[in-house]
Amino acid sequence: MKNIRSAAKVRGDGNGELTTVLVYYETFEDMMFDITLNAQNPDIFNSTYGEVNQDARSDNFIMSNNSPMPQGGSAGQAVAYAFVEVTSGINFLLNMPKFQEIMQEAGAKIVVDSMNCAMCGESILPANAMVYFAAANAQDMGEAMDIFSSNEIQRWFFANMAPHVNVIDGGLNIYSN
């Protein structure tokens, strides 16, 4: 693992608590090694996270991407995310790089990216992806959220991204050392 962070969120939709564990890897091979290790040793997380279980009834889910780590590896102290149901994969995938570019050109000091579901339990469905902003600190996240809420970016986002996703849940996690 390159880095690991954890946060708990009490969901407002009556589904109980959601614990998010963000793990940064250099390669998918490394990620799959840890998943295999956890499956072979299910008691590893019992004291903290409960049973590690990836069947269809599970509350556990794994989302991943193959994006390179940001330079310096500092992004991740503040993470804003939305779990989404992608309704048009082609349009979503074609517009995501443009969205990343627009946010960077506007001066947002964040990583803008998405993850797709590798193995999702029933509790996360119909969400099949997560779109997130990751910043090195809360101030950078606040500035990025102001940029995202500008009229120019909101018009572009709601014309090009929003028609292709349904937002299922979202949140903001700030991690302190």
Side-chain angles (χ1 to χ4, degrees):
M1 292 180 204
K2 179 87 170 176
N3 205 338
I4 186 167
R5 307 251 186 243
S6 175
K9 176 183 178 215
V10 178
R11 295 174 64 166
D13 59 5
N15 286 338
E17 293 182 13
L18 173 68
T19 299
T20 305
V21 178
L22 302 172
V23 183
Y24 298 89
Y25 288 97
E26 293 287 348
T27 67
F28 281 124
E29 181 180 359
D30 292 343
M31 180 183 78
M32 296 310 288
F33 175 83
D34 282 357
I35 290 171
T36 303
L37 186 64
N38 292 338
Q40 292 170 349
N41 301 283
D43 294 336
I44 278 178
F45 291 124
N46 275 349
S47 64
T48 308
Y49 299 108
E51 185 179 353
V52 174
N53 168 355
Q54 290 300 333
D55 67 23
R57 298 170 307 282
S58 171
D59 287 340
N60 301 312
F61 56 90
I62 296 171
M63 294 198 178
S64 62
N65 67 28
N66 64 348
S67 299
M69 285 292 293
Q71 292 299 317
S74 62
Q77 288 297 108
V79 178
Y81 60 90
F83 288 110
V84 298
E85 174 189 24
V86 177
T87 56
S88 174
I90 288 286
N91 288 307
F92 178 78
L93 291 173
L94 290 175
N95 284 311
M96 180 53 79
K98 183 63 177 169
F99 179 45
Q100 293 166 323
E101 181 182 322
I102 286 171
M103 289 295 291
Q104 297 304 314
E105 287 176 354
K109 294 178 274 194
I110 57 171
V111 174
V112 178
D113 213 340
S114 66
M115 292 190 219
N116 298 311
C117 185
M119 298 179 278
C120 286
E122 290 175 346
S123 63
I124 193 67
L125 296 176
N128 54 16
M130 179 174 79
V131 177
Y132 67 93
F133 292 172
N137 55 59
Q139 181 176 341
D140 288 350
M141 179 62 74
E143 291 172 2
M145 292 171 77
D146 287 339
I147 290 169
F148 178 67
S149 65
S150 70
N151 288 337
E152 178 186 347
I153 291 182
Q154 286 293 295
R155 276 194 298 272
W156 184 91
F157 186 85
F158 282 96
N160 296 285
M161 293 292 288
H164 312 299
V165 298
N166 293 322
V167 175
I168 305 301
D169 194 15
L172 173 66
N173 294 323
I174 307 295
Y175 305 97
S176 60
N177 293 332

